[in-house]
Amino acid sequence: MASEFGKAGAYTGAICPRDSPLLSVSSVREIFKYSALSPTQTVAEALRRMRPDLIVPCDDRALGHLHALHASLPDDDGLRRLIERSLGNPAGYAAARSRGQALRLAAQDGSPEPASHELHSEADVLDWCANRSFPAVIKADGTWGGAGVALVDSLASALAAYRRLSRPLATWRVLKFLLSNRDPFPLCGWLDRTRPGVIGQDFVKGRAANIMVACWNGEVLASIGAVALKTKQDFGAATIVKLISHPGMEAAATRLVRRLGMSGFCGLDFILEEGSDRAIMIELNPRATQLGHLPFGPAGSLVSVLLSRVRGETVSADNGGRSAERPNVAFFPQAWLAEADAPLLSDAYLDVPWHEPKLVAELLRRPKDVRSPLARLTGFVMGRPDPARVLAKSFANTFPPADEIPEVDFAGAAPVPSHPGPPAPGLCQEP
């Protein structure tokens, strides 16, 4: 997305850790160091130095920093107004970050959602489980990638999941983040004994799907939807998706964005119910998600649509048509790290950013959370494969001959030309 902002003519800066792939993006013109031990102060300092027109949080942690910073500033502070301009109405911030509140508001507006219940104690778990059918799902706020989700099949497993997800981080996990992942941020939550909110939710059988929208002052400008074909793990992020247009997902997004007065980007997760294909909303992510850089029609990407509105230009409402036959997309490097099925990879649009060679080289390395010697030793002892070798082997064996790669048409966009000189000819076709 940072690269897409640069291609669209924005002057782009980033606040990130010192080993972030953002440092390899040529269009990122200013880099500000992220401090996990004093995050809101360093975010505020960076924003005051750069004085941007728009802030784009790309994970839940960054969003939490912005909400905390907003709450600490006086009403007349320009930085507070910038956060409101970028994220929307502050009256909706708390609900946007709470899984339970967001789902309750969506249900009030008529969006189908699985029956959910906020769990504040083990007594709540006992009441929730009484006379209910299993399986069911328990989720913790402030988690992502499937790490804070548990599928439970009995009262005993529900209680065990609640205890695990609701308690503060264990000391050994904080040490792991510090020494193995080189991430000091969990230390803050460990010191103040922060407990995440937890909800219980009915299990819905079907296909995982999601939609990402660009929005401004409660209005959806454009959206792009996808159904997961492959995921990294159960309840985890998708590695290969099929782009779709689903009226149910789009309607739910429109209603919730209006209700919360949101600006910027957000994503909504759904289950497309088996048999009916009805979109059942299961989660709101009030920040950028995986789909924002992808082209979806003549209007370009969600990044270009949002930038047009920020600049005061006319924004097309075209979502790329309603055709169900839209491309599969393999996310780089996640699809290769997951050793996805070769047929799916060969038939997909490969979003390898060949126009950013330093970024490609960086993403072909081991993920930063397993680069340390301790992390590699732990992986070796536990018998986990080296991600660098998995990625290199899968990536090298993926590509068909250039003349077998079809041109990609993103539902109404012009035929896609080949990139003028990627390492493997014809591998990546740029929108």
Side-chain angles (χ1 to χ4, degrees), residues 4 224 292-305 318:
E4 190 70 17
I224 180 170
H293 65 291
L294 297 173
F296 59 88
S301 66
L302 296 183
V303 164
S304 57
V305 169
D318 180 11

Side-chain angles (χ1 to χ4, degrees), residues 16-57:
C16 58
R18 64 175 181 266
D19 55 357
S20 169
L22 278 165
L23 276 66
S24 303
V25 179
S26 63
S27 59
V28 175
R29 308 285 290 280
E30 295 189 62
I31 297 288
F32 300 94
K33 182 181 177 182
Y34 169 77
S35 171
L37 298 181
S38 55
T40 54
Q41 294 93 320
T42 53
V43 168
E45 290 170 5
L47 294 175
R48 293 192 192 281
R49 284 174 56 191
M50 184 176 174
R51 296 186 296 175
D53 297 298
L54 187 70
I55 313 168
V56 181

Side-chain angles (χ1 to χ4, degrees), residues 196-209:
V198 177
I199 66 169
Q201 198 172 73
D202 284 353
F203 175 76
V204 180
K205 190 174 183 180
R207 300 179 296 161

